[in-house]
């Protein structure tokens, strides 16, 4: 019998990984004060993320006994987000452009997929390499985004809004490449909706994604303006 959503294995995975990953971030926040050491810890988890996403892509590259090398390229938002987030942390600098277009999809996509991972029902074992590597890369991605925010490695600001549009365009370009060159039936939900029976293809998700970013930018700027106003009032007293 294949694993099922919200059964014992799935619930235990969510509880254990939440405690371990968030607990690690809390301990680092309390006990590690030097940014250099914090970056080393983030890079270690980025290495684990890179290993899990590449394992997942390798496992997904087989059709029977045939290995399809082009399937090593992630064909989903979460997969590509995990790949470029891990690389950007490993080789990039603080507040680099990649962070600005992957943090939202990485955070909410990672959490949503761990809570509702339809792919765990595809194989006979919860610990099938494809299943467990898929869960792990989503978990590590969400954890790392929280870490970037917690340790101020990213400064979310409307002034860098164009990275959101540029990054989303890159996703679609990769998807179009896979579909046109390697005849993949769908990539990045260009054709097939995210949820069957809904209109949630990229052409609807794109505007929603950009709108959500805009609302977050607005809320953050309003909070910043309020804090600055209070600081000025205190300074004048």
């Amino acid at each position: 019998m294949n694993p099922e959503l919200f059964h014992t294995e799935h619930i235990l995975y969510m509880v254990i990984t939440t405690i371990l990953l968030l607990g690690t971030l809390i301990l680092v926040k309390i006990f590690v004060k030097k940014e250099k050491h914090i970056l080393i810890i983030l890079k270690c988890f980025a290495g684990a993320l890179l290993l899990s996403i590449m394992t997942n892509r390798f496992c997904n590259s087989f059709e029977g006994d045939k290995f399809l090398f082009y399937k090593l390229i992630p064909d989903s938002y979460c997969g590509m987000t995990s790949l470029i987030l891990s690389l950007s942390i490993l080789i990039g600098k603080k507040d680099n452009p990649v962070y600005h277009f992957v943090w939202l999809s990485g955070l909410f996509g990672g959490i949503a997929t761990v809570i509702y991972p339809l792919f765990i029902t595809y194989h006979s074992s919860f610990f099938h390499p494809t299943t467990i590597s898929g869960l792990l890369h989503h978990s590590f991605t969400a954890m790392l985004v929280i870490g970037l925010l917690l340790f101020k490695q990213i400064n979310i600001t409307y002034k860098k809004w164009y990275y959101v549009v540029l990054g989303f365009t890159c996703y679609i370009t990769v998807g179009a490449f896979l579909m046109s060159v390697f005849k993949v039936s769908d990539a990045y939900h260009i054709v097939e909706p995210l949820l069957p029976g809904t209109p949630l293809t990229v052409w609807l998700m794109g505007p929603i994604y950009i709108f959500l970013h805009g609302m977050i930018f607005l809320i953050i700027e309003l909070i910043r303006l309020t804090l600055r106003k209070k600081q000025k009032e205190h300074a004048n007293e």
Side-chain angles (χ1 to χ4, degrees), residues 81 84-85 88-89 95-103 154 163:
T81 294
I84 61 179
L85 176 63
S88 65
I89 292 175
D95 201 37
N96 71 71
V98 173
Y99 295 167
H100 289 273
F101 70 83
V102 301
W103 76 267
I154 176 174
Y163 287 133

Side-chain angles (χ1 to χ4, degrees), residues 144-161:
L144 281 167
V145 172
I146 293 171
L148 293 176
L149 295 169
L150 183 63
F151 301 118
K152 299 179 181 179
Q153 295 299 303
I154 176 174
N155 177 32
I156 300 174
T157 171
Y158 72 92
K159 294 179 181 179
K160 297 183 178 180
W161 65 269

